[in-house]
Coordinates of all heavy atoms in Angstrom, one line a residue:
M1 N -11.9 -85.4 -1.3 CA -13.0 -84.5 -1.1 C -12.9 -83.7 0.1 O -13.5 -82.7 0.4 CB -14.3 -85.2 -1.1 CG -14.7 -85.8 -2.4 SD -15.0 -84.5 -3.6 CE -16.8 -84.4 -3.6
S2 N -12.1 -84.1 1.2 CA -12.0 -83.5 2.4 C -11.6 -82.1 2.4 O -11.9 -81.2 3.1 CB -11.2 -84.3 3.4 OG -9.8 -84.2 3.0
R3 N -10.7 -81.8 1.3 CA -10.2 -80.4 1.3 C -11.3 -79.5 0.8 O -11.3 -78.3 1.2 CB -9.0 -80.3 0.3 CG -7.7 -80.9 0.9 CD -6.6 -80.8 -0.1 NE -6.9 -82.1 -0.9 CZ -6.3 -82.2 -2.1 NH1 -5.5 -81.3 -2.6 NH2 -6.4 -83.4 -2.7
I4 N -12.2 -80.0 0.0 CA -13.4 -79.2 -0.5 C -14.3 -78.9 0.7 O -14.7 -77.9 0.9 CB -14.1 -80.0 -1.6 CG1 -13.3 -80.1 -2.8 CG2 -15.5 -79.3 -1.9 CD1 -13.8 -80.9 -4.0
G5 N -14.5 -80.0 1.5 CA -15.5 -79.8 2.7 C -14.9 -78.8 3.7 O -15.7 -78.1 4.4
K6 N -13.6 -78.6 3.8 CA -13.1 -77.7 4.8 C -13.3 -76.3 4.4 O -13.2 -75.4 5.3 CB -11.6 -78.0 5.1 CG -11.4 -79.4 5.8 CD -9.9 -79.7 6.0 CE -9.7 -81.0 6.6 NZ -8.3 -81.3 6.8
A7 N -13.4 -76.0 3.2 CA -13.5 -74.6 2.7 C -14.9 -74.0 3.1 O -15.9 -74.6 2.7 CB -13.2 -74.5 1.2
P8 N -14.9 -72.8 3.6 CA -16.2 -72.2 4.0 C -16.9 -71.7 2.7 O -16.2 -71.3 1.8 CB -15.8 -71.1 4.9 CG -14.4 -70.7 4.5 CD -13.7 -72.0 4.1
V9 N -18.2 -71.6 2.7 CA -18.9 -71.1 1.6 C -19.3 -69.6 2.0 O -19.9 -69.4 3.0 CB -20.2 -71.9 1.3 CG1 -21.1 -71.2 0.3 CG2 -20.0 -73.3 1.0
T10 N -18.8 -68.7 1.2 CA -19.2 -67.3 1.5 C -20.6 -67.0 1.1 O -21.0 -67.3 0.0 CB -18.2 -66.3 0.7 OG1 -16.9 -66.7 1.0 CG2 -18.5 -64.9 1.0
I11 N -21.3 -66.3 2.0 CA -22.7 -66.0 1.7 C -22.7 -64.5 1.2 O -22.4 -63.6 2.0 CB -23.6 -66.2 3.0 CG1 -23.4 -67.6 3.6 CG2 -25.0 -65.8 2.7 CD1 -24.0 -67.8 5.0
P12 N -23.2 -64.4 0.0 CA -23.4 -62.9 -0.6 C -24.5 -62.2 0.1 O -25.4 -62.9 0.6 CB -23.5 -63.2 -2.0 CG -24.0 -64.6 -2.2 CD -23.6 -65.4 -1.0
S13 N -24.5 -60.9 -0.1 CA -25.6 -60.1 0.5 C -26.9 -60.4 -0.3 O -26.8 -60.7 -1.6 CB -25.3 -58.6 0.3 OG -25.1 -58.2 -1.0
G14 N -28.0 -60.5 0.4 CA -29.2 -60.7 -0.2 C -29.6 -62.2 -0.1 O -30.7 -62.6 -0.5
V15 N -28.6 -63.1 0.4 CA -28.9 -64.5 0.5 C -29.1 -64.9 2.0 O -28.3 -64.5 2.8 CB -27.8 -65.3 0.0 CG1 -28.0 -66.8 0.2 CG2 -27.7 -65.1 -1.5
E16 N -30.2 -65.5 2.3 CA -30.5 -66.0 3.7 C -30.4 -67.5 3.8 O -30.9 -68.2 2.9 CB -31.8 -65.5 4.2 CG -32.0 -64.0 4.2 CD -33.5 -63.6 4.6 OE1 -34.2 -64.5 5.1 OE2 -33.8 -62.5 4.3
I17 N -29.7 -68.0 4.8 CA -29.6 -69.4 5.0 C -30.1 -69.8 6.3 O -29.8 -69.2 7.4 CB -28.1 -69.9 4.9 CG1 -27.7 -69.6 3.5 CG2 -28.0 -71.4 5.2 CD1 -26.2 -70.0 3.2
S18 N -31.0 -70.8 6.5 CA -31.4 -71.3 7.7 C -31.3 -72.8 7.8 O -31.5 -73.4 6.8 CB -32.9 -70.9 7.9 OG -33.7 -71.4 7.0
V19 N -31.0 -73.2 9.0 CA -30.8 -74.6 9.2 C -31.9 -75.1 10.3 O -31.8 -74.6 11.4 CB -29.4 -75.0 9.7 CG1 -29.2 -76.5 9.9 CG2 -28.4 -74.5 8.8
S20 N -32.8 -76.0 9.9 CA -33.9 -76.3 10.9 C -33.5 -77.7 11.4 O -32.4 -78.3 11.1 CB -35.1 -76.4 10.2 OG -35.2 -77.4 9.2
K21 N -34.3 -78.2 12.4 CA -34.0 -79.5 13.0 C -34.1 -80.5 11.9 O -34.8 -80.4 11.0 CB -35.1 -79.8 14.1 CG -34.9 -79.0 15.3 CD -35.8 -79.6 16.5 CE -35.4 -78.7 17.7 NZ -35.8 -79.4 18.9
G22 N -33.3 -81.5 12.1 CA -33.1 -82.6 11.1 C -32.3 -82.3 10.0 O -32.2 -82.9 8.9
N23 N -31.5 -81.1 10.1 CA -30.5 -80.7 9.2 C -31.2 -80.4 7.8 O -30.6 -80.7 6.8 CB -29.4 -81.8 9.0 CG -28.2 -81.5 9.9 OD1 -28.3 -80.5 10.7 ND2 -27.2 -82.3 9.8
L24 N -32.2 -79.8 7.8 CA -32.8 -79.3 6.6 C -32.3 -77.8 6.3 O -32.7 -77.0 7.1 CB -34.3 -79.3 6.6 CG -35.1 -78.9 5.3 CD1 -34.8 -79.7 4.1 CD2 -36.6 -78.7 5.6
V25 N -31.5 -77.6 5.2 CA -31.0 -76.4 4.9 C -31.8 -75.7 3.9 O -32.0 -76.2 2.8 CB -29.5 -76.5 4.5 CG1 -28.9 -75.1 4.1 CG2 -28.7 -77.2 5.5
T26 N -32.3 -74.4 4.1 CA -33.0 -73.6 3.2 C -32.2 -72.5 2.9 O -31.7 -71.7 3.7 CB -34.3 -73.2 3.9 OG1 -35.1 -74.2 4.3 CG2 -35.2 -72.4 2.9
V27 N -32.0 -72.2 1.6 CA -31.3 -71.0 1.0 C -32.2 -70.2 0.2 O -32.9 -70.7 -0.8 CB -30.1 -71.5 0.2 CG1 -29.2 -70.3 -0.4 CG2 -29.2 -72.4 0.9
K28 N -32.4 -68.9 0.7 CA -33.2 -68.0 0.0 C -32.5 -66.8 -0.6 O -31.6 -66.3 0.1 CB -34.3 -67.4 0.9 CG -35.3 -68.5 1.4 CD -36.3 -67.8 2.4 CE -37.2 -68.8 3.0 NZ -38.1 -68.2 4.0
G29 N -32.7 -66.4 -1.9 CA -32.1 -65.3 -2.4 C -33.0 -64.7 -3.5 O -34.1 -65.0 -3.7
P30 N -32.4 -63.7 -4.3 CA -33.2 -62.9 -5.2 C -33.7 -63.8 -6.3 O -34.7 -63.6 -7.0 CB -32.2 -61.9 -5.7 CG -30.9 -62.3 -5.4 CD -31.0 -63.2 -4.1
K31 N -33.1 -64.9 -6.7 CA -33.5 -65.8 -7.8 C -34.4 -66.9 -7.4 O -34.7 -67.8 -8.2 CB -32.2 -66.4 -8.5 CG -31.3 -65.3 -9.0 CD -31.6 -65.1 -10.4 CE -30.6 -64.1 -11.0 NZ -30.9 -63.7 -12.3
G32 N -34.6 -67.1 -6.1 CA -35.5 -68.2 -5.6 C -35.1 -68.8 -4.2 O -34.4 -68.2 -3.6
E33 N -35.6 -70.0 -4.1 CA -35.4 -70.6 -2.8 C -35.1 -72.1 -3.1 O -35.8 -72.7 -3.9 CB -36.7 -70.5 -1.9 CG -36.6 -71.3 -0.7 CD -37.9 -71.2 0.2 OE1 -38.7 -70.3 -0.1 OE2 -38.0 -71.9 1.2
L34 N -34.2 -72.7 -2.3 CA -33.7 -74.1 -2.5 C -33.6 -74.7 -1.1 O -33.2 -74.0 -0.2 CB -32.4 -74.2 -3.3 CG -32.4 -73.8 -4.8 CD1 -31.0 -73.7 -5.3 CD2 -33.3 -74.6 -5.5
M35 N -34.0 -76.0 -1.1 CA -33.8 -76.7 0.2 C -33.0 -78.1 0.0 O -33.2 -78.7 -1.1 CB -35.2 -77.0 0.8 CG -36.0 -75.8 1.2 SD -37.5 -76.1 2.1 CE -38.5 -76.9 0.9
Q36 N -32.3 -78.4 1.0 CA -31.5 -79.7 0.8 C -31.4 -80.4 2.2 O -31.2 -79.6 3.2 CB -30.1 -79.4 0.3 CG -29.1 -80.5 0.4 CD -29.6 -81.6 -0.7 OE1 -30.0 -81.2 -1.8 NE2 -29.7 -82.8 -0.4
Q37 N -31.7 -81.6 2.3 CA -31.6 -82.4 3.5 C -30.3 -82.8 3.6 O -29.7 -83.5 2.7 CB -32.6 -83.6 3.5 CG -32.6 -84.4 4.7 CD -33.3 -83.7 5.9 OE1 -34.3 -83.1 5.8 NE2 -32.6 -83.8 7.0
I38 N -29.5 -82.5 4.7 CA -28.2 -82.8 5.0 C -28.1 -84.1 5.8 O -28.9 -84.2 6.7 CB -27.4 -81.7 5.6 CG1 -27.5 -80.5 4.7 CG2 -25.9 -82.0 5.8 CD1 -26.9 -80.5 3.4
D39 N -27.0 -84.9 5.6 CA -26.8 -86.0 6.4 C -26.9 -85.8 7.9 O -26.3 -84.8 8.3 CB -25.5 -86.8 6.1 CG -25.3 -88.1 6.7 OD1 -25.0 -88.1 7.9 OD2 -25.5 -89.1 6.0
P40 N -27.6 -86.5 8.8 CA -27.7 -86.1 10.2 C -26.4 -86.2 10.9 O -26.3 -85.6 12.0 CB -28.8 -87.1 10.7 CG -28.9 -88.2 9.7 CD -28.4 -87.6 8.4
D41 N -25.4 -86.9 10.5 CA -24.1 -87.0 11.1 C -23.3 -85.7 11.0 O -22.5 -85.4 11.9 CB -23.3 -88.1 10.6 CG -23.8 -89.5 10.9 OD1 -24.6 -89.6 11.9 OD2 -23.4 -90.5 10.3
L42 N -23.5 -84.9 9.9 CA -22.8 -83.6 9.7 C -23.5 -82.5 10.4 O -24.7 -82.5 10.7 CB -22.7 -83.4 8.3 CG -22.0 -84.5 7.4 CD1 -22.1 -84.0 5.9 CD2 -20.6 -84.7 7.8
T43 N -22.6 -81.5 10.7 CA -23.1 -80.3 11.3 C -23.0 -79.1 10.4 O -21.9 -78.8 9.7 CB -22.3 -80.0 12.6 OG1 -22.3 -81.1 13.4 CG2 -22.8 -78.8 13.4
V44 N -24.1 -78.3 10.2 CA -24.0 -77.1 9.3 C -24.2 -75.9 10.2 O -25.1 -75.8 11.0 CB -25.1 -77.2 8.3 CG1 -25.1 -75.9 7.3 CG2 -25.0 -78.5 7.4
E45 N -23.2 -75.0 10.1 CA -23.2 -73.8 10.9 C -23.1 -72.6 10.0 O -22.4 -72.5 9.0 CB -22.1 -73.8 11.9 CG -22.1 -74.9 12.9 CD -20.8 -74.9 13.7 OE1 -19.9 -74.1 13.6 OE2 -20.8 -75.8 14.6
V46 N -23.9 -71.5 10.4 CA -23.7 -70.1 9.7 C -23.1 -69.2 10.7 O -23.8 -69.0 11.7 CB -25.0 -69.6 9.2 CG1 -24.9 -68.4 8.6 CG2 -25.7 -70.7 8.3
E47 N -21.9 -68.7 10.4 CA -21.3 -67.7 11.4 C -20.4 -66.7 10.5 O -19.8 -67.1 9.6 CB -20.4 -68.4 12.4 CG -19.4 -69.4 11.9 CD -18.9 -70.2 13.0 OE1 -19.6 -70.7 13.9 OE2 -17.6 -70.3 13.0
D48 N -20.5 -65.6 10.8 CA -19.7 -64.4 10.2 C -19.8 -64.3 8.7 O -18.8 -64.2 8.0 CB -18.2 -64.5 10.6 CG -18.1 -64.5 12.2 OD1 -18.9 -63.6 12.8 OD2 -17.1 -65.0 12.6
G49 N -20.9 -64.6 8.2 CA -21.3 -64.5 6.7 C -20.6 -65.6 5.9 O -20.5 -65.6 4.8
E50 N -20.5 -66.8 6.7 CA -19.9 -68.0 6.0 C -20.7 -69.2 6.5 O -21.2 -69.3 7.6 CB -18.4 -68.2 6.3 CG -17.5 -67.1 5.8 CD -16.1 -67.4 6.1 OE1 -15.7 -68.1 7.0 OE2 -15.2 -67.0 5.2
L51 N -20.8 -70.2 5.6 CA -21.5 -71.4 5.8 C -20.4 -72.5 6.0 O -19.5 -72.6 5.1 CB -22.4 -71.8 4.7 CG -23.2 -73.1 4.8 CD1 -24.2 -72.9 5.8 CD2 -23.8 -73.4 3.4
L52 N -20.4 -73.2 7.2 CA -19.5 -74.2 7.4 C -20.1 -75.5 7.6 O -21.1 -75.7 8.3 CB -18.7 -73.9 8.8 CG -17.9 -72.6 8.7 CD1 -17.4 -72.3 10.2 CD2 -16.8 -72.6 7.8
V53 N -19.5 -76.6 7.0 CA -19.9 -78.0 7.1 C -18.9 -78.6 8.0 O -17.7 -78.7 7.5 CB -20.1 -78.7 5.8 CG1 -20.7 -80.1 6.0 CG2 -21.2 -77.9 4.9
K54 N -19.2 -79.3 9.1 CA -18.4 -80.1 9.9 C -18.7 -81.6 10.0 O -19.8 -81.9 10.0 CB -18.2 -79.4 11.3 CG -17.7 -78.0 11.2 CD -17.6 -77.4 12.5 CE -17.2 -76.0 12.4 NZ -17.2 -75.3 13.7
R55 N -17.6 -82.4 10.1 CA -17.9 -83.8 10.3 C -17.4 -84.2 11.6 O -16.5 -83.7 12.1 CB -17.2 -84.5 9.2 CG -15.7 -84.4 9.1 CD -15.0 -85.2 8.0 NE -13.6 -85.1 8.1 CZ -12.8 -84.6 7.2 NH1 -13.3 -84.2 6.1 NH2 -11.5 -84.6 7.4
P56 N -18.1 -85.3 12.1 CA -17.7 -85.8 13.5 C -16.5 -86.7 13.5 O -15.7 -86.6 14.5 CB -18.9 -86.7 13.9 CG -19.6 -87.1 12.6 CD -19.3 -86.0 11.6
T57 N -16.2 -87.5 12.4 CA -15.1 -88.4 12.6 C -14.3 -88.3 11.2 O -14.7 -87.6 10.3 CB -15.4 -89.8 12.8 OG1 -16.2 -90.2 11.6 CG2 -16.2 -90.0 14.0
E58 N -13.2 -89.0 11.2 CA -12.4 -89.1 9.9 C -12.7 -90.3 9.1 O -12.0 -90.7 8.2 CB -10.9 -89.1 10.3 CG -10.4 -87.7 10.8 CD -10.5 -86.6 9.8 OE1 -10.2 -86.8 8.6 OE2 -10.9 -85.5 10.2
S59 N -13.8 -91.0 9.4 CA -14.2 -92.1 8.6 C -14.4 -91.8 7.1 O -14.7 -90.8 6.8 CB -15.4 -92.9 9.2 OG -16.6 -92.0 8.9
K60 N -14.2 -92.9 6.3 CA -14.3 -92.6 4.9 C -15.7 -92.1 4.5 O -15.8 -91.2 3.6 CB -14.1 -94.0 4.1 CG -14.2 -93.8 2.6 CD -13.6 -95.1 2.0 CE -13.7 -95.1 0.5 NZ -12.9 -94.1 -0.2
R61 N -16.7 -92.6 5.1 CA -18.1 -92.2 4.8 C -18.2 -90.7 5.2 O -18.8 -89.9 4.4 CB -19.1 -93.0 5.5 CG -20.5 -92.6 5.3 CD -21.5 -93.5 6.0 NE -22.9 -93.0 5.8 CZ -23.4 -92.0 6.5 NH1 -22.7 -91.3 7.3 NH2 -24.6 -91.6 6.2
H62 N -17.8 -90.3 6.3 CA -18.0 -88.9 6.7 C -17.2 -88.0 5.9 O -17.6 -86.8 5.6 CB -17.6 -88.8 8.3 CG -18.6 -89.3 9.2 ND1 -18.3 -89.8 10.4 CD2 -19.9 -89.5 9.0 CE1 -19.3 -90.2 11.1 NE2 -20.4 -90.0 10.2
R63 N -15.9 -88.4 5.5 CA -15.1 -87.6 4.7 C -15.8 -87.2 3.3 O -15.8 -86.2 2.8 CB -13.7 -88.1 4.4 CG -12.8 -88.0 5.7 CD -11.5 -88.5 5.4 NE -11.6 -89.9 5.2 CZ -10.7 -90.7 4.6 NH1 -9.6 -90.3 4.3 NH2 -10.9 -92.0 4.5
S64 N -16.4 -88.4 2.7 CA -17.0 -88.3 1.4 C -18.3 -87.4 1.5 O -18.6 -86.5 0.6 CB -17.3 -89.6 0.8 OG -18.2 -90.3 1.5
M65 N -19.0 -87.6 2.6 CA -20.3 -86.8 2.7 C -20.0 -85.3 3.0 O -20.7 -84.4 2.5 CB -21.2 -87.4 3.9 CG -21.7 -88.6 3.7 SD -23.1 -88.6 2.4 CE -22.5 -90.0 1.4
H66 N -18.8 -85.0 3.7 CA -18.4 -83.7 4.0 C -18.3 -82.9 2.7 O -18.8 -81.8 2.5 CB -17.1 -83.7 4.8 CG -16.7 -82.6 5.4 ND1 -15.3 -82.3 5.6 CD2 -17.3 -81.5 5.8 CE1 -15.2 -81.1 6.2 NE2 -16.4 -80.5 6.3
G67 N -17.4 -83.4 1.8 CA -17.2 -82.7 0.6 C -18.4 -82.6 -0.3 O -18.7 -81.6 -1.0
L68 N -19.2 -83.7 -0.3 CA -20.4 -83.7 -1.2 C -21.4 -82.6 -0.8 O -21.9 -81.8 -1.6 CB -21.2 -85.1 -1.1 CG -22.5 -85.2 -1.7 CD1 -22.6 -85.1 -3.2 CD2 -23.2 -86.4 -1.2
Y69 N -21.7 -82.6 0.5 CA -22.7 -81.6 1.0 C -22.2 -80.2 1.0 O -23.0 -79.2 0.7 CB -23.2 -82.0 2.4 CG -24.2 -83.1 2.3 CD1 -23.9 -84.4 2.9 CD2 -25.4 -83.0 1.6 CE1 -24.8 -85.4 2.8 CE2 -26.3 -84.0 1.5 CZ -26.0 -85.2 2.1 OH -26.9 -86.2 2.1
R70 N -20.9 -80.0 1.2 CA -20.4 -78.7 1.1 C -20.5 -78.2 -0.5 O -20.8 -77.0 -0.7 CB -18.9 -78.6 1.5 CG -18.3 -77.1 1.5 CD -17.7 -76.9 0.3 NE -17.1 -75.6 0.2 CZ -16.9 -74.9 -0.8 NH1 -17.3 -75.3 -2.0 NH2 -16.3 -73.6 -0.7
S71 N -20.2 -79.0 -1.4 CA -20.4 -78.7 -2.8 C -21.9 -78.4 -3.2 O -22.1 -77.5 -3.9 CB -19.9 -79.8 -3.7 OG -18.5 -80.0 -3.5
L72 N -22.8 -79.2 -2.7 CA -24.2 -79.0 -2.9 C -24.7 -77.7 -2.4 O -25.4 -77.0 -3.1 CB -25.1 -80.1 -2.3 CG -24.9 -81.4 -3.0 CD1 -25.7 -82.5 -2.2 CD2 -25.5 -81.4 -4.4
L73 N -24.2 -77.3 -1.2 CA -24.7 -76.0 -0.5 C -24.0 -74.8 -1.2 O -24.7 -73.8 -1.4 CB -24.3 -76.1 0.9 CG -25.0 -77.0 1.8 CD1 -24.4 -77.1 3.3 CD2 -26.5 -76.7 1.9
S74 N -22.8 -75.0 -1.7 CA -22.1 -74.0 -2.5 C -22.8 -73.7 -3.8 O -23.1 -72.5 -4.2 CB -20.7 -74.3 -2.7 OG -20.1 -73.3 -3.6
N75 N -23.3 -74.7 -4.5 CA -24.1 -74.7 -5.7 C -25.4 -74.0 -5.4 O -25.9 -73.3 -6.3 CB -24.3 -76.0 -6.3 CG -22.9 -76.5 -6.9 OD1 -22.0 -75.7 -7.2 ND2 -22.8 -77.8 -7.2
M76 N -26.1 -74.3 -4.3 CA -27.3 -73.7 -4.0 C -27.2 -72.2 -3.7 O -28.0 -71.4 -4.2 CB -27.9 -74.4 -2.7 CG -28.3 -75.8 -2.9 SD -28.7 -76.6 -1.3 CE -30.0 -75.7 -0.6
V77 N -26.2 -71.7 -3.1 CA -25.9 -70.4 -2.8 C -25.7 -69.7 -4.2 O -26.3 -68.6 -4.4 CB -24.7 -70.1 -1.8 CG1 -24.4 -68.7 -1.8 CG2 -25.1 -70.7 -0.4
E78 N -24.8 -70.3 -5.0 CA -24.7 -69.7 -6.4 C -26.0 -69.6 -7.1 O -26.2 -68.7 -7.8 CB -23.7 -70.6 -7.2 CG -23.3 -70.1 -8.5 CD -22.4 -68.9 -8.5 OE1 -21.8 -68.5 -7.5 OE2 -22.4 -68.2 -9.6
G79 N -26.7 -70.6 -7.0 CA -28.0 -70.6 -7.8 C -29.0 -69.6 -7.4 O -29.7 -68.9 -8.3
V80 N -29.2 -69.3 -6.1 CA -30.2 -68.4 -5.6 C -29.7 -66.9 -5.8 O -30.4 -66.0 -5.8 CB -30.7 -68.5 -4.2 CG1 -31.4 -69.9 -4.1 CG2 -29.6 -68.4 -3.2
S81 N -28.4 -66.7 -6.0 CA -27.7 -65.4 -6.0 C -27.5 -65.0 -7.5 O -28.0 -63.9 -7.9 CB -26.5 -65.2 -5.2 OG -25.5 -66.2 -5.6
N82 N -26.9 -65.8 -8.2 CA -26.5 -65.4 -9.7 C -27.4 -66.3 -10.7 O -27.4 -65.9 -11.8 CB -25.1 -65.8 -9.9 CG -24.2 -64.9 -9.0 OD1 -24.5 -63.8 -8.7 ND2 -23.1 -65.5 -8.6
G83 N -27.9 -67.4 -10.3 CA -28.6 -68.3 -11.3 C -27.5 -69.2 -11.9 O -26.3 -69.0 -11.8
F84 N -27.9 -70.2 -12.6 CA -27.1 -71.0 -13.3 C -27.0 -70.6 -14.8 O -28.0 -70.4 -15.4 CB -27.5 -72.5 -13.1 CG -27.5 -73.1 -11.7 CD1 -28.6 -73.1 -11.0 CD2 -26.3 -73.4 -11.2 CE1 -28.6 -73.5 -9.7 CE2 -26.2 -73.8 -10.0 CZ -27.3 -73.9 -9.2
V85 N -25.8 -70.6 -15.3 CA -25.5 -70.3 -16.7 C -24.6 -71.3 -17.3 O -23.7 -71.8 -16.7 CB -24.8 -68.8 -16.7 CG1 -24.5 -68.5 -18.2 CG2 -25.7 -67.8 -16.1
K86 N -25.0 -71.6 -18.6 CA -24.2 -72.6 -19.3 C -23.7 -71.7 -20.6 O -24.6 -71.5 -21.3 CB -24.9 -73.8 -19.6 CG -24.1 -74.9 -20.3 CD -24.9 -76.1 -20.4 CE -24.0 -77.3 -20.3 NZ -24.8 -78.7 -20.4
E87 N -22.5 -71.5 -20.7 CA -22.0 -70.7 -21.8 C -21.4 -71.7 -22.7 O -20.5 -72.5 -22.5 CB -20.9 -69.7 -21.3 CG -21.5 -68.6 -20.4 CD -20.4 -67.5 -20.0 OE1 -19.4 -67.6 -20.6 OE2 -20.7 -66.8 -19.1
L88 N -21.9 -71.5 -24.0 CA -21.3 -72.3 -25.1 C -20.6 -71.5 -26.0 O -21.0 -70.3 -26.3 CB -22.5 -73.0 -25.9 CG -23.3 -73.9 -25.0 CD1 -24.6 -74.4 -25.8 CD2 -22.6 -75.0 -24.4
E89 N -19.6 -72.0 -26.7 CA -18.8 -71.3 -27.8 C -19.2 -72.0 -29.1 O -19.0 -73.1 -29.3 CB -17.3 -71.4 -27.5 CG -16.6 -70.7 -28.6 CD -15.0 -70.7 -28.3 OE1 -14.6 -70.6 -27.0 OE2 -14.2 -70.8 -29.2
V90 N -19.8 -71.2 -30.0 CA -20.2 -71.8 -31.3 C -19.2 -71.4 -32.4 O -18.9 -70.2 -32.5 CB -21.7 -71.2 -31.7 CG1 -22.1 -71.7 -33.0 CG2 -22.6 -71.6 -30.6
D91 N -18.7 -72.4 -33.0 CA -17.7 -72.3 -34.0 C -18.2 -72.7 -35.3 O -18.6 -73.8 -35.5 CB -16.4 -73.2 -33.7 CG -15.2 -72.9 -34.6 OD1 -15.4 -72.1 -35.6 OD2 -14.3 -73.6 -34.4
G92 N -18.5 -71.7 -36.2 CA -19.2 -72.0 -37.5 C -18.4 -72.4 -38.6 O -18.9 -72.5 -39.8
R93 N -17.1 -72.5 -38.4 CA -16.2 -72.9 -39.5 C -16.5 -74.3 -39.8 O -16.7 -75.2 -39.0 CB -14.8 -72.7 -39.1 CG -14.4 -71.3 -38.8 CD -12.9 -71.2 -38.5 NE -12.8 -71.7 -37.0 CZ -11.7 -72.1 -36.4 NH1 -10.6 -72.2 -37.1 NH2 -11.7 -72.5 -35.2
A94 N -16.4 -74.6 -41.1 CA -16.6 -76.0 -41.6 C -15.2 -76.7 -41.5 O -14.2 -76.2 -41.8 CB -17.0 -76.0 -43.1
H95 N -15.3 -77.9 -41.0 CA -14.1 -78.8 -40.9 C -14.1 -79.8 -41.9 O -15.1 -80.5 -42.0 CB -14.0 -79.4 -39.4 CG -13.9 -78.3 -38.4 ND1 -12.7 -77.8 -38.1 CD2 -14.8 -77.9 -37.5 CE1 -12.9 -76.9 -37.1 NE2 -14.2 -77.0 -36.7
V96 N -13.1 -79.8 -42.7 CA -13.1 -80.8 -43.9 C -12.0 -81.9 -43.6 O -11.1 -81.7 -43.0 CB -12.8 -80.1 -45.1 CG1 -12.8 -81.1 -46.3 CG2 -13.8 -79.0 -45.5

């Protein structure tokens, strides 16, 4: 998961991200607003149109939390900008 955590999350135009005390991250966009409490050991930074999650040590717990919270924040940005879509393929052929 550490490779996932190291990748920055690109913030599209129209999306605002704020990090308050206690690592409460708020993501606002055209489709709504989402909030997520981030582990207090991790650091969340917004710089140059990118969201970065940083970990203090290389311990197993910090590495796993790093990837988890980066993925959660990426999904939040995607949700408030584009919304969530589940595309299904319907195949009407009868299988015998």
Side-chain angles (χ1 to χ4, degrees):
M1 288 295 258
S2 65
R3 284 178 280 163
I4 292 171
K6 291 179 182 178
V9 177
T10 304
I11 303 170
S13 62
V15 175
E16 296 177 17
I17 298 179
S18 61
V19 182
S20 63
K21 286 194 174 196
N23 270 359
L24 180 66
V25 178
T26 305
V27 182
K28 295 179 186 177
K31 301 267 185 186
E33 176 180 346
L34 295 171
M35 293 189 295
Q36 176 68 46
Q37 183 69 44
I38 304 296
D39 189 283
D41 290 344
L42 300 177
T43 305
V44 179
E45 298 175 357
V46 178
E47 51 187 49
D48 297 331
E50 293 183 331
L51 179 69
L52 301 170
V53 180
K54 297 181 180 177
R55 63 179 183 240
T57 67
E58 292 294 320
S59 71
K60 182 171 176 65
R61 181 179 175 281
H62 285 153
R63 285 182 298 165
S64 62
M65 292 292 132
H66 190 209
L68 168 72
Y69 284 115
R70 188 267 179 206
S71 294
L72 289 174
L73 293 172
S74 176
N75 290 339
M76 288 169 61
V77 169
E78 179 72 19
V80 299
S81 59
N82 301 327
F84 292 102
V85 177
K86 189 174 209 174
E87 294 183 12
L88 302 176
E89 183 178 322
V90 179
D91 187 358
R93 294 180 284 159
H95 296 284
V96 180

